[in-house]
Amino acid sequence: MTLGNKKKRTLPIRLNLIFFAVFLLFSALILRLGFVQIVYGDEYKRKLERTEDVTVDTSVPRGKIYDSTGKVIVDNSAKNAITYTNTGVKSDEMLKTAETLAKYITKDTKKVTERDKQDYWIMKHPDEAEALVTDKEKTALAEKYTDSDEYNSEVYKLQLHRITEDELKSISKNDLEVLAIYREFASGYKMTPHIVKNDEVTDKEMAVVSENLTSLKGVDTTTDWDRSYAFGNTLRSVLGSVSSSEEGLPAESLSYYLSKGYSLNDRVGKSYLELEYEDVLKGQKEKVRTQTDSDGKETTEVITEGKRGNDLVLAIDMELQQKVEDIIEKQLKSAKQMSGTKFLDRAYVVLMNPNTGDVLTMAGKRLVTENGKTKVQDDALGNLTTSYNVGSVVKGATVLTGYKYGAISPGTVINDTTVKIGDTEKKSWTQMGPINDLTALMRSSNVYMFQTVMKIAGAHYVYGQPLSVDAEDFTKMRNAYAQYGLGIRTGIDLPNEQTGFKGTDTSVPGKLLDIAIGQYDTYTNMQLAQYISTIANGGNRMEPHIVKEIRSPVSEEGELGAIVDSIEPKVLNTVDAKSEWIERVQTGFKMVAQSPKGTAYTYLSGKSYSPAAKTGTAEAFYDGPQKSNYKTLQEVMNLSLVSYAPSDNPEVAMAVLVPWAYNGSVDNKANLKIGEQVLDAYFDLKKERQKDEK
């Protein structure tokens, strides 16, 4: 009885213990749930309601470039494109997307490298790749490299080294396309659309990819663009170039562009106008925000509408530009048929409005020989990136400097006869006898300029005796010339403008005399255009500019948008010269072109547009591409011409420069032939347009 009672009492005790334990567990659970509800409830609620925001910037086409008459010079040519935006997915997900996309498009595999193939093989064969490095090697590496990143890097290097050619050959043609696509995916930047394919994307590819975008996370179809040039290679060197989507931002300017909000694969202007006006042409990116809620539902919202870049309207007249280029090319080829022209290979022309600084034409051509054949290349930039001895065209500045320092005055007569400094004789192309300043300009007297600059320097000249000058006299002449634009930057709105070379030997008196006739320092053709414009307009040095207006973009073809900014004429300085002095030089320049003894009379007399001009012939040494073929310096003659018209009310100024025009005694007159035809073309075109307007 006692034993049975004990068993009956033991069972309820155990049950009570179990019930009590269950009670305690439930109590703990309730307390925990209450704690979570009270303390973390709001946080978990926020997590449930949380959405993922992704904002993507989409590039837009650049602004267009027009000429002064409204013709499109540079446009955007639209083309189909497929892009990928990396939203932070893992590489295996990216690879799956690439495999899917490869089913719908063909992808060029030429850019796939050996390293790309090795990486792809490792991704596709992880077990085999793991086996390429033995456990013993891994242990040794782990002991040597305690940092996990360093260890993994060393293991990876061994794997790459041990992948065989046969293993790489196992990668099929289809695998290569997948790899090429994956390569593009991986090279893009997070949250930035990256071009996967934009060359020869067919309509079929666009359609099938568009239909399957739901299974291609990050992939999109869009429209890309290329720069197109309505006038072919005309002015291409000045227009500049734009980086491709593959190039992206230039490495040398990376920090600058990133600080301004650019993405690494954005396309930017690389040179000249495209670079100089990048901020104007780049446009405003479209910003699109995609929200993904906790259920995976996506909604898209355009935050900022994209807008094509603003347009540039140039001062350049492309019809006139083409006519001038044609003239230069024909005259170069014609001159090359004459004797003594083995070094002749280039010529330059600038036409400028002397009153506003508008560059109406900036043309240059260069003859190059490739595979025994002569070709003509655009070298418009040579007008501001190369400099030469220009000869007597600077004599207007010399005379004006003589007036300024009281060395001569209007009407001063000087006897043009041989100047002899020690044993060195210097003279004009012919002995002219007593002449005044006008005749000196008209007939291009060197001696008049020599005597003038010696008086400016305060040097006491005695025939056959040494002459004393110092460095300050060189500086005085150069500073005076700079007022007219010679030897300094013109301020043109293009990069890489050169100032020319200033001779460094200031101990030789004859070098100072050479400056006075344009045969020591070198100048660019753009400087000559600014110089003659300064004299033509009465003494204002105008800043030359290629761009005339900035306009807002419009969608209608053949129409220009509203003016955003106009490039107003800018006077850089007014020369220190009396108006009557400038008028005196203007008279001398008119005599050069219209008086029988003028050096340009044969070519410019009798013209209805009544030009004024100054010619130049400079003795120089050849410094071109054939220089290395000769052991000694080769003497050449540079030809130049500055002009403006009409002489009484100038509307156009011109500078012509033909370096290394000839060697020997046969002057081919290329400067005058080009100059005459260019001025004729300008006024003939003006007349035609006036006739059409009536």
Side-chain angles (χ1 to χ4, degrees):
M1 287 293 292
T2 304
L3 183 61
N5 288 335
K6 285 182 179 179
K7 286 183 177 179
K8 288 179 181 178
R9 285 198 298 271
T10 302
L11 186 60
I13 291 171
R14 289 177 178 175
L15 284 173
N16 288 334
L17 288 172
I18 291 171
F19 287 142
F20 182 69
V22 170
F23 170 75
L24 290 176
L25 289 172
F26 270 102
S27 297
L29 180 61
I30 290 168
L31 286 172
R32 182 62 183 168
L33 287 172
F35 178 78
V36 169
Q37 178 69 24
I38 294 168
V39 178
Y40 295 111
D42 289 341
E43 182 180 342
Y44 285 121
K45 184 179 180 181
R46 284 195 298 271
K47 287 184 177 181
L48 284 171
E49 295 174 349
R50 185 181 65 184
T51 59
E52 182 183 9
D53 282 6
V54 176
T55 302
V56 174
D57 293 343
T58 304
S59 63
V60 293
R62 292 173 74 78
K64 299 180 182 180
I65 301 178
Y66 296 84
D67 84 337
S68 61
T69 66
K71 297 186 184 75
V72 176
I73 304 174
V74 184
D75 204 342
N76 300 300
S77 178
K79 59 181 183 178
N80 293 333
I82 296 169
T83 65
Y84 177 77
T85 304
N86 181 1
T87 56
V89 299
K90 295 180 179 178
S91 58
D92 56 343
E93 293 181 60
M94 204 181 289
L95 182 59
K96 288 179 182 178
T97 304
E99 289 171 344
T100 305
L101 183 59
K103 298 174 184 178
Y104 306 133
I105 68 171
T106 59
K107 176 66 178 171
D108 186 11
T109 61
K110 291 178 182 177
K111 293 181 181 178
V112 174
T113 65
E114 188 81 0
R115 178 64 172 271
D116 292 331
K117 293 178 183 179
Q118 291 172 328
D119 287 336
Y120 182 74
W121 187 88
I122 291 173
M123 289 180 66
K124 296 295 289 184
H125 305 85
D127 294 336
E128 292 93 326
E130 187 74 17
L132 291 175
V133 184
T134 66
D135 292 339
K136 183 178 180 181
E137 288 173 321
K138 290 176 183 176
T139 301
L141 289 173
E143 291 175 355
K144 185 176 181 181
Y145 300 100
T146 55
D147 181 83
S148 59
D149 289 337
E150 290 182 348
Y151 166 76
N152 291 330
S153 175
E154 293 302 316
V155 170
Y156 173 64
K157 288 177 184 177
L158 284 176
Q159 289 173 330
L160 290 177
H161 182 69
R162 291 172 181 177
I163 297 173
T164 66
E165 285 294 325
D166 288 338
E167 286 166 332
L168 291 183
K169 286 179 181 178
S170 68
I171 299 175
S172 67
K173 182 179 179 183
N174 182 67
D175 287 335
L176 281 177
E177 287 199 15
V178 172
L179 173 53
I181 294 171
Y182 174 79
R183 183 179 181 273
E184 296 293 350
F185 284 6
S187 64
Y189 302 99
K190 194 174 180 180
M191 305 304 176
T192 303
H194 180 76
I195 298 291
V196 176
K197 182 179 180 180
N198 62 357
D199 286 328
E200 299 179 357
V201 179
T202 66
D203 292 338
K204 182 179 179 181
E205 287 176 326
M206 288 288 284
V208 71
V209 171
S210 297
E211 290 171 3
N212 292 277
L213 289 179
T214 53
S215 62
L216 295 165
K217 188 173 182 180
V219 176
D220 199 3
T221 54
T222 185
T223 301
D224 194 24
W225 50 269
D226 272 336
R227 283 308 228 181
S228 58
Y229 301 89
F231 292 85
N233 289 326
T234 301
L235 210 65
R236 279 293 296 275
S237 60
V238 173
L239 297 172
S241 60
V242 177
S243 65
S244 66
S245 57
E246 293 179 356
E247 292 175 291
L249 302 180
E252 64 273 14
S253 307
L254 190 60
S255 298
Y256 168 77
Y257 283 116
L258 291 177
S259 70
K260 299 190 72 174
Y262 283 76
S263 299
L264 286 168
N265 63 339
D266 278 346
R267 302 166 71 176
V268 297
K270 291 168 60 179
S271 59
Y272 295 97
L273 275 181
E274 293 277 15
L275 173 61
E276 190 75 7
Y277 288 90
E278 168 64 24
D279 289 344
V280 173
L281 293 166
K282 69 177 180 179
Q284 176 181 292
K285 291 182 178 181
E286 180 181 67
K287 289 183 180 291
V288 179
R289 180 171 61 200
T290 300
Q291 290 185 329
T292 306
D293 61 21
S294 57
D295 296 326
K297 184 180 178 181
E298 291 186 354
T299 57
T300 300
E301 175 190 7
V302 176
I303 302 172
T304 306
E305 293 283 351
K307 186 177 73 170
R308 177 169 65 79
N310 285 333
D311 299 330
L312 299 181
V313 178
L314 307 188
I316 287 177
D317 181 335
M318 288 302 282
E319 186 176 359
L320 179 61
Q321 176 79 20
Q322 287 184 313
K323 288 179 181 293
V324 172
E325 288 189 3
D326 186 53
I327 290 167
I328 295 173
E329 184 174 335
K330 288 180 178 177
Q331 287 302 318
L332 268 179
K333 290 179 178 178
S334 175
K336 284 294 286 184
Q337 305 303 312
M338 301 177 68
S339 63
T341 58
K342 61 182 178 181
F343 297 124
L344 171 63
D345 69 347
R346 64 195 67 186
Y348 305 105
V349 173
V350 171
L351 289 178
M352 195 162 98
N353 183 324
N355 306 301
T356 65
D358 286 357
V359 177
L360 310 176
T361 290
M362 180 173 155
K365 291 293 180 181
R366 185 179 296 196
L367 302 176
V368 294
T369 302
E370 294 180 1
N371 300 321
K373 293 184 178 180
T374 300
K375 299 196 316 183
V376 181
Q377 289 184 347
D378 174 59
D379 191 25
L381 287 174
N383 283 287
L384 56 94
T385 61
T386 61
S387 64
Y388 309 91
N389 299 118
V390 297
S392 299
V393 290
V394 306
K395 288 176 178 176
T398 303
V399 169
L400 285 164
T401 304
Y403 294 156
K404 174 184 176 180
Y405 287 105
I408 57 172
S409 58
T412 295
V413 174
I414 292 175
N415 187 25
D416 185 317
T417 187
T418 301
V419 169
K420 189 174 183 181
I421 301 172
D423 295 328
T424 303
E425 291 187 350
K426 301 176 80 69
K427 53 189 175 182
S428 300
W429 61 275
T430 185
Q431 190 163 299
M432 303 176 192
I435 55 173
N436 65 13
D437 48 343
L438 294 180
T439 304
L441 290 172
M442 177 183 68
R443 302 189 65 192
S444 200
S445 167
N446 288 344
V447 172
Y448 198 97
M449 307 305 149
F450 296 154
Q451 294 283 4
T452 297
V453 77
M454 286 190 286
K455 291 179 181 178
I456 292 172
H460 180 64
Y461 167 69
V462 177
Y463 183 85
Q465 296 298 311
L467 191 69
S468 178
V469 300
D470 56 39
E472 289 183 4
D473 298 318
F474 285 81
T475 301
K476 184 184 290 186
M477 287 296 294
R478 286 166 174 161
N479 288 344
Y481 275 24
Q483 290 192 46
Y484 300 88
L486 297 172
I488 59 172
R489 285 188 171 86
T490 65
I492 191 170
D493 51 343
L494 288 171
N496 302 327
E497 181 185 9
Q498 303 301 305
T499 59
F501 171 79
K502 291 179 173 61
T504 57
D505 191 350
T506 57
S507 62
V508 180
K511 301 298 185 184
L512 180 65
L513 274 57
D514 289 340
I515 285 180
I517 61 170
Q519 299 205 153
Y520 192 41
D521 292 354
T522 66
Y523 310 107
T524 68
N525 200 43
M526 187 60 68
Q527 290 173 340
L528 293 186
Q530 189 177 59
Y531 153 70
I532 191 60
S533 292
T534 303
I535 292 176
N537 68 35
N540 291 322
R541 185 168 75 94
M542 306 302 299
E543 182 179 75
H545 53 266
I546 300 288
V547 174
K548 189 175 183 179
E549 295 172 344
I550 298 171
R551 290 183 176 254
S552 60
V554 292
S555 57
E556 293 81 3
E557 289 294 328
E559 292 189 18
L560 291 171
I563 294 177
V564 175
D565 191 16
S566 292
I567 311 303
E568 298 298 327
K570 182 178 180 180
V571 178
L572 297 176
N573 64 266
T574 299
V575 299
D576 183 13
K578 295 179 181 179
S579 58
E580 55 264 34
W581 295 348
I582 296 175
E583 289 170 5
R584 182 76 174 178
V585 171
Q586 289 174 342
T587 299
F589 281 6
K590 185 175 182 179
M591 292 169 64
V592 170
Q594 300 185 39
S595 294
K597 288 189 177 182
T599 54
Y601 178 80
T602 303
Y603 291 87
L604 297 180
S605 64
K607 301 292 184 181
S608 60
Y609 47 81
S610 180
K614 184 69 191 81
T615 59
T617 304
E619 297 177 0
F621 292 107
Y622 177 70
D623 192 30
Q626 300 180 52
K627 182 180 178 181
S628 60
N629 297 338
Y630 298 88
K631 294 181 179 179
T632 58
L633 292 174
Q634 300 296 299
E635 294 183 358
V636 289
M637 305 297 279
N638 298 338
L639 296 177
S640 59
L641 173 70
V642 293
S643 180
Y644 58 85
S647 56
D648 57 345
N649 186 24
E651 64 179 72
V652 63
M654 176 184 69
V656 179
L657 184 56
V658 186
W660 319 320
Y662 65 95
N663 57 306
S665 58
V666 180
D667 184 350
N668 53 48
K669 307 290 185 183
N671 56 334
L672 287 161
K673 293 173 183 176
I674 291 172
E676 177 192 15
Q677 292 182 34
V678 166
L679 287 176
D680 285 350
Y682 172 86
F683 285 101
D684 287 346
L685 183 58
K686 178 184 176 182
K687 192 180 298 182
E688 288 174 18
R689 289 175 175 169
Q690 289 174 337
K691 188 176 180 181
D692 291 340
E693 290 173 1
K694 291 181 180 179

